[in-house]
Amino acid sequence: MDSRSLAKAKNPRETQTEIKTIHPFLIYIHHFIHACAVLLTEISQKTGYSNRQIQTAVNGPVTPQKHRQHHNLLTIKTPDRRRLKEWLQTGRNRYIPICRLRYHLPPPLNNHGDVALNRALQELGGRSVFRPRRLPLTDQQKAARKAWSIRQLELRPRPVHWEFVHFSDETWVKADFMWKQRAILFDDEDPENIPDFAVKKRSKMTTTALQRTGIPVLRFPAYAPDLAPIENLWPWLKAWMEDNFDIQAMGSQELRPVIQAAWDAIPGDLLLRLAHSMPERLQKCIQKEGNYIDY
C-alpha cells in the first residue's frame, strides 16, 4: 500500500493533525540542511578544500592521531647507551639522582623513561652508591699520615697546644634526612680518579683569604678526615638542626638562617674537647702505621 492509499485509509481529521504536527519540523530541517550546505560552500570557496575534507575536519579529532609503533620502548639502543655513559661521566652529572635523571638528560636521551634508563645503567655496569668518606689507603698515603702525625705530636704534644689551632672544613647541608650524597659509578671506574668523589677538597676562597692575611696554614695529609676534629662537629650540628627545625620542608634560602642558628648554638666545651683530642688521634695513627683510626 502506497502513501496515498495509506492517507485515504486514515481519518481525514487524523491526517490533518499529523501533517500540522510534522510540518514545522520539516521546515526546520530544510532550513538547517540548506544553511549547512551554504556554510560548507562558503568555507570551500575560501579555503580551497572540498566539502568532504571540511566535513572530516569538523567531525574528526583536533589533532591527528599518531600510529604507535610496535617496538620495545623499554630498551635503549647501543649508541644511546654509549652517549648516556659519556654524559654521566661528564662534570657533576653522576650526582643527579636516578629518579630525576630523565629531566636533566639532553635530547634524544630524555625521550626514554625511568625503566629504560635503569635497565640501561644495569647493562652498562652502573650503580648508585653513597659518596664514601674514606677510600682505601695506599702504602704511600699511610706513610705520609704517620710521618705527619709524628711531626705534629713533636710540635704540639699537649692538648692545650691545640686550642690555638683554627680548624676549617666544609660540608653540604641538604633537606634530606640521610645527609649523604649518592653518585653513579661504573664497574670500569676507579673512585680515586673521579673528580669531586674522593674527599680531598680544599676551598680556594679560604686558601686565598689566608694567604692575603699572612696566617700560617697547617696542611693535613691527603685522606685524613679522621685526624681533623672538626669532622666530628658536623654530626652534632646537623642533629641540632633536625631536632629544632623541619628541614625537610625548607628550601635553600630558608636553610641559611637555620645553619647560622645551629652554628651559634655550638657549646664551647664541645669545641675544647675536640681540640684536646688531637694528641690522642695522632698517637693512634702512629700505632696503626698510618691507617685510619676510629674516632
Side-chain angles (χ1 to χ4, degrees), residues 2-294:
D2 57 4
S3 59
R4 292 183 179 181
S5 301
L6 181 61
K8 290 179 181 181
K10 290 184 177 181
N11 190 323
R13 182 180 295 277
E14 294 178 357
T15 304
Q16 185 179 6
T17 304
E18 184 178 356
I19 293 173
K20 286 183 178 181
T21 304
I22 297 176
H23 184 260
F25 293 99
L26 294 176
I27 295 176
Y28 174 77
I29 293 173
H30 173 73
H31 287 299
F32 178 76
I33 294 175
H34 178 71
C36 290
V38 172
L39 181 61
L40 290 176
T41 303
E42 292 179 357
I43 296 176
S44 177
Q45 292 175 355
K46 292 182 179 180
T47 60
Y49 296 106
S50 63
N51 292 346
R52 182 65 178 175
Q53 291 175 322
I54 297 172
Q55 290 176 353
T56 303
V58 172
N59 299 326
V62 177
T63 57
Q65 299 296 316
K66 296 181 180 179
H67 297 283
R68 294 186 177 181
Q69 299 179 356
H70 298 282
H71 62 276
N72 191 0
L73 299 177
L74 302 180
T75 302
I76 299 179
K77 296 182 179 180
T78 302
D80 282 349
R81 282 188 294 177
R82 190 180 302 113
R83 297 190 193 99
L84 175 63
K85 184 176 181 180
E86 293 175 355
W87 186 83
L88 286 173
Q89 292 176 330
T90 304
R92 295 185 58 84
N93 294 334
R94 68 173 70 247
Y95 298 106
I96 299 175
I98 294 181
C99 59
R100 303 177 187 173
L101 197 59
R102 60 180 301 191
Y103 305 107
H104 297 267
L105 288 171
L109 296 177
N110 56 356
N111 295 329
H112 302 290
D114 294 333
V115 177
L117 291 173
N118 286 330
R119 179 176 295 181
L121 286 175
Q122 292 178 1
E123 294 173 354
L124 292 170
R127 64 193 187 280
S128 178
V129 298
F130 283 116
R131 184 178 180 181
R133 285 181 50 82
R134 296 182 179 182
L135 294 175
L137 295 173
T138 64
D139 293 339
Q140 183 179 1
Q141 293 166 350
K142 294 177 184 177
R145 284 167 49 95
K146 181 180 179 181
W148 185 87
S149 300
I150 295 174
R151 177 58 178 167
Q152 296 304 319
L153 198 58
E154 292 175 353
L155 295 175
R156 303 174 184 86
R158 299 176 56 188
V160 69
H161 294 157
W162 292 93
E163 295 182 6
F164 304 96
V165 178
H166 296 269
F167 296 92
S168 175
D169 191 25
E170 64 181 38
T171 187
W172 287 95
V173 177
K174 303 188 300 179
D176 183 5
F177 69 95
M178 291 298 295
W179 293 101
K180 295 182 180 180
Q181 189 176 26
R182 283 185 172 271
I184 299 175
L185 290 183
F186 296 94
D187 293 339
D188 57 351
E189 288 183 318
D190 185 2
E192 286 195 64
N193 298 328
I194 299 176
D196 298 332
F197 190 76
V199 185
K200 49 181 180 181
K201 56 186 180 296
R202 185 176 291 117
S203 175
K204 293 183 179 179
M205 183 181 300
T206 304
T207 304
T208 304
L210 292 174
Q211 291 175 352
R212 290 178 178 176
T213 55
I215 298 177
V217 178
L218 174 61
R219 297 193 179 277
F220 276 66
Y223 305 103
D226 52 337
L227 299 180
I230 195 173
E231 294 288 348
N232 299 98
L233 188 62
W234 302 134
W236 185 95
L237 185 142
K238 295 173 180 178
W240 187 92
M241 293 172 57
E242 291 179 345
D243 293 340
N244 293 274
F245 296 91
D246 185 13
I247 60 174
Q248 278 74 32
M250 294 183 177
S252 58
Q253 297 299 325
E254 297 173 312
L255 280 174
R256 293 180 182 274
V258 175
I259 296 172
Q260 184 62 50
W263 187 261
D264 296 337
I266 297 175
D269 59 339
L270 174 61
L271 298 177
L272 284 177
R273 289 199 306 270
L274 292 176
H276 291 171
S277 68
M278 277 302 297
E280 185 178 358
R281 293 172 189 259
L282 298 175
Q283 189 63 40
K284 286 185 176 181
C285 183
I286 296 171
Q287 293 174 356
K288 299 190 69 173
E289 298 296 329
N291 279 303
Y292 289 119
I293 63 174
D294 297 328

